[in-house]
């Protein structure tokens, strides 16, 4: 159901196909004649595949995708209808977009937003609708979406990488692109249980819930046999994803009970980003068909591992060479090391942007919680690469070329060379042989932001290298000096040890001076730090106005998310938890009274103690609910977004935790039939 290269080749006239291909591959301008021909063929193809409508499909700053369906049908003069779709309709749309967040970029009187066709991401059919991937911008041209800056960042890295490749004498490469494979983690629970919990319904995570007697401590779920119901889900999911051209390759159980992972085959960053958005949507839809709910939240259950998204990233040429793949010859390896160094420098120079790119209220629960990388950005290179870099820095020959054989201890297994990298699952940014894996991205978030920052930061390193090398007298010496200098200046970002260790955080911040922005309000304002604005505007990824708007929107999203959670807690506590605790206490008290009436020598000490504790907890719950309610209401008086976010971080969060603690204790001493919600144990072990 994808209008991909194969489909295009089959239905487009040869000259139109060639023209379009030039646009896709090399960014050549597209003329309206070609657009008309593509539109017409695309419509015929779509109608033949059952489509009746089309939509410009875009990614506003809400974090999800948006679509507005129009039918192909136009009235014809003879009273009938014809199916029409013009190049103009393909290229440009004008959705009424006044309700999408714009961070003040689009005053309400100028509500118009424009969508513009992105020919580099294939159109596809979803439920009888032809979806055309588009960028979304304001009347005055500011980006209102995530795709526009992503495409700009890809262009930036393309420009700079080409300069470097030319210096290495490569004149054949026309285009350099980044590729991404985003591994997606998620939880599956039954819909029946999900719908009984307002917290899951409104916020996607449990805001209350006592620990289950069994959690993930046995590690018996990880890579374990997949349960039949989950297997049926995965099978169906794969089929739906394959229809949309998303090649889901591996799937396995994750560490936590009910947690799973899906990995697609990597593709161009732009398509990978579109695909990931689509994948999240399809995962939820297919779950509903199976009576399940797919939870994409970063931390659906306290005390249980949360979910992330591993952004596997590499840079490749249109001729199919992965620039992050170590080569066979010294020449190839010089090029590899230069690109590797560009990434090292980028990650160090723009730690803050990488941290910002994954900052959401949900991800704050996960980063640094000993299940995901800490909030401190560092990178893992593995022993061999680190040794190579050390040798270069110290100007000594590298003696480790004899690749270490991995000994398996079993003779029947073939011996094979150890990868240049060993594995480290605790690093935020790990080199895995021919790509980097950025592990800080949250499971519910778009991968666009992470890749925008990564592409831009690496483009900036490459630019500084190209500037230097283009004027160099002796290329080889200049390269060696550049690599040496990069290692010397930036080795503080390289860390091959255990990232979950507290000692690392101390070393990172106190000895190495790495940044540690623990929460979203801590880091977001740095988006508009002078150095960041300078870099991102220099590469035309964002304008300063766009950055300010995004800063505002990110903080606003943080505040809104937590206020919804706080309000949900207040409602749950007042209307369900307190009545349940009261009912149970009253019934226990009544039972004790009955017993004593029956036999006055009975002391009913246990009942009295229980009723007393339940009453105390009820008072505490009531008190803490009131406090939370008052504090949340007071946020309304704060004008400035940054101040509001800080007030939430410094006040509301602790109040939510306190309320939860009292409620969770009450859950552990209230009879099960009184408790209004399915327990953690039931939620986590419900799907079999
Ligand atoms: P690993 O064993 O390192 O997890 P996999 O082959 O399972 O590697 O790949 C994990 C993810 O990384 C997959 O989504 C895969 O498509 C993606 N991936 C593999 N190679 C690349 C690459 N060169 N660039 C980007 N992503 C890649
Ligand atoms: Mg992985």
């Amino acid at each position: 159901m994808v209008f991909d290269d194969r489909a295009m080749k089959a239905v487009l006239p040869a000259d139109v196909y060639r023209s379009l291909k030039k646009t896709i591959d090399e960014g050549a301008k597209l003329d309206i004649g070609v657009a008309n021909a593509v539109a017409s063929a695309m419509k015929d193809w779509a109608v033949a595949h059952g489509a009746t409508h089309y939509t410009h499909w875009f990614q506003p700053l809400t974090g999800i995708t948006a679509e507005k369906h129009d039918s192909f049908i136009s009235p014809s003069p003879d009273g009938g209808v014809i199916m029409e779709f013009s190049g103009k309709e393909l290229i440009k749309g004008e959705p009424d977009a006044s309700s999408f967040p714009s961070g003040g970029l689009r005053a309400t009187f100028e509500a118009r937003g424009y969508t513009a066709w992105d020919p580099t991401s294939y159109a596809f059919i979803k439920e009888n609708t032809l979806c055309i991937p588009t960028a979304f911008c304001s009347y005055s041209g500011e980006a209102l979406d995530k795709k526009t800056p992503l495409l700009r960042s890809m262009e930036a890295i393309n420009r700079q990488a080409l300069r470097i490749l030319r210096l290495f004498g490569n004149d054949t490469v026309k285009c350099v692109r980044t590729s991404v494979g985003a591994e997606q983690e998620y939880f599956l629970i039954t819909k029946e249980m999900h719908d009984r919990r307002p917290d899951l319904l409104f916020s996607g995570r449990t805001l209350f819930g006592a620990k289950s007697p069994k959690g993930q401590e046995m590690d018996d779920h990880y890579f374990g046999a997949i349960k039949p119901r989950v297997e049926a889900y995965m099978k169906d999911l794969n089929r739906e994803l394959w229809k949309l051209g998303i090649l889901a390759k591996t799937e396995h159980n994750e560490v936590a009970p009910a947690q799973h992972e899906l990995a697609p085959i990597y593709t161009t960053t732009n398509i990978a980003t579109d695909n990931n958005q689509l994948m999240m949507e399809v995962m939820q839809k297919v779950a509903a068909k199976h009576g399940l709910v797919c939870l994409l939240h970063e931390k659906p259950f306290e005390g249980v591992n949360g979910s992330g998204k591993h952004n596997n990233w590499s840079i490749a040429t249109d001729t199919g060479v992965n620039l992050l793949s170590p080569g066979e010859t010294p020449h190839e390896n010089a090029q590899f090391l230069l690109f590797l160094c560009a990434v090292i420098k980028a990650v160090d120079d723009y730690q803050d942007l990488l941290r910002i790119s994954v900052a959401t209220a949900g991800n704050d629960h996960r980063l640094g919680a000993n299940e995901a990388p800490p909030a401190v950005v560092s990178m893992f290179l593995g022993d061999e690469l680190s040794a190579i870099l050390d040798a270069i820095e110290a100007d000594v020959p590298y003696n480790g070329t004899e690749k270490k054989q991995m000994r398996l201890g079993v003779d029947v297994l073939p011996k094979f060379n150890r990868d240049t990298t060993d594995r480290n699952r605790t690093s935020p940014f790990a080199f895995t042989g021919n790509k980097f894996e950025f592990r800080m991205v949250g499971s519910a978030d778009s991968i666009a932001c992470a890749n925008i920052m990564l592409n831009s930061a690496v483009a900036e390193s490459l630019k500084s290298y190209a500037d230097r090398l283009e004027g160099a007298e002796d290329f080889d010496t200049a390269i060696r000096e550049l690599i040496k200098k990069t290692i010397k200046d930036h080795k503080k970002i390289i860390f091959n040890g255990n990232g979950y260790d507290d000692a690392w955080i101390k070393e990172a911040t106190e000895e190495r001076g790495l940044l540690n922005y623990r929460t979203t309000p801590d880091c977001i304002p740095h988006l508009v730090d002078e150095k960041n604005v300078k870099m991102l505007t220099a590469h035309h990824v964002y304008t300063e106005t766009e950055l300010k708007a995004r800063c505002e929107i990110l903080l606003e999203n943080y505040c809104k998310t937590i206020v919804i959670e706080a309000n949900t807690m207040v409602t749950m506590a007042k209307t369900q938890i307190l009545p349940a605790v009261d009912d149970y206490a009253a019934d226990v008290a009544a039972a004790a009274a009955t017993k004593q009436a029956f036999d006055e020598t009975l002391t009913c000490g246990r009942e009295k103690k229980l009723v007393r504790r339940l009453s105390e907890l009820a008072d505490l719950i009531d008190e803490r609910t009131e406090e939370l309610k008052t504090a949340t209401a007071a946020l309304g008086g704060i004008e400035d977004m940054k101040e509001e976010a800080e007030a939430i971080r410094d006040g509301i969060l602790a109040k939510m935790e306190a309320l939860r603690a009292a409620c969770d204790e009450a859950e552990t001493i209230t009879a099960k039939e009184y408790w209004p919600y399915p327990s953690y144990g039931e939620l986590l072990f419900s799907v079999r």
Side-chain angles (χ1 to χ4, degrees), residues 18-30:
R18 259 197 313 276
S19 232
L20 179 61
K21 199 76 179 121
K22 226 173 152 57
T23 300
I24 295 173
D25 292 344
E26 296 161 40
K29 268 219 154 48
L30 187 91

Side-chain angles (χ1 to χ4, degrees), residues 179-183 249 263-266 312-314 322 423 432 434-435 437:
S179 306
V180 165
E183 300 165 79
K249 199 180 74 166
I265 292 175
Y266 69 97
N312 293 276
W313 177 92
S314 65
N322 179 351
R423 289 295 158 133
T432 51
N434 60 0
K435 61 185 189 289
E437 187 171 355

Side-chain angles (χ1 to χ4, degrees), residues 540-559:
H540 308 290
V541 176
Y542 288 108
T543 64
E544 187 165 359
T545 324
E546 286 171 347
L547 280 171
K548 287 191 175 135
R550 262 154 230 253
C551 193
E552 195 75 5
I553 292 171
L554 288 166
L555 288 169
E556 191 181 344
N557 281 346
Y558 174 84
C559 295

